[in-house]
Amino acid sequence: MHLLLYISLVPFATEWMGENDFAKVPVAFYGCVLLAPALAWQILQTLNIKCHGQESKFAQAIGSDLKGRLSPLFYIFGIAASFWNQWVAVALYALVACMWLIPDRRIESRFEADRARNSNPEV
């Protein structure tokens, strides 16, 4: 619910930013709204790993999670940059979106490998 709450604020922040022609404060607020679900995701992922253990399939599939760790940092830099140059901030927000356009297949590939290993009794 924590994650969904913040995601529900994205349309409001987007509209406010657009209505004010990408003014500094709305762009900073938009960054905060993007940062909140990124942090909520990190919390959810961390608690899931703590619940199931470091040796769980999920923890092994997540690995170092570079994209997940870089996203909040880019949002923080974007929020700070929005008071200097809002277009730099928007570019950083777009960079995060582009990073996530590339599908993250770590979890799926990990579970597919386990399924294949379990279906082949000779291994």
Side-chain angles (χ1 to χ4, degrees):
M1 297 304 288
H2 186 234
L3 178 63
L4 292 176
L5 167 70
Y6 296 126
I7 291 173
S8 71
L9 295 174
V10 171
F12 167 74
T14 304
E15 183 177 349
W16 187 37
M17 186 175 62
E19 285 179 353
N20 290 291
D21 297 321
F22 295 88
K24 294 177 183 196
V25 172
V27 170
F29 180 73
Y30 182 71
C32 292
V33 168
L34 294 176
L35 175 63
L39 294 176
W41 173 254
Q42 287 294 322
I43 292 168
L44 178 66
Q45 185 173 282
T46 301
L47 291 175
N48 195 352
I49 290 172
K50 280 186 179 184
C51 179
H52 295 286
Q54 291 291 337
E55 300 303 318
S56 68
K57 291 179 186 178
F58 179 74
Q60 292 173 3
I62 292 298
S64 65
D65 191 28
L66 183 62
K67 287 195 301 189
R69 294 182 193 275
L70 285 178
S71 296
L73 290 176
F74 285 144
Y75 289 142
I76 290 168
F77 291 140
I79 293 165
S82 69
F83 295 105
W84 167 64
N85 183 333
Q86 63 270 32
W87 297 109
V88 171
V90 171
L92 286 169
Y93 304 153
L95 176 64
V96 174
C98 289
M99 282 185 348
W100 287 100
L101 281 176
I102 300 167
D104 192 352
R105 303 189 49 101
R106 292 173 298 176
I107 296 172
E108 184 180 343
S109 63
R110 173 68 185 180
F111 284 95
E112 282 179 4
D114 285 349
R115 258 188 253 125
R117 192 175 25 231
N118 291 336
S119 66
N120 190 354
E122 294 178 18
V123 175

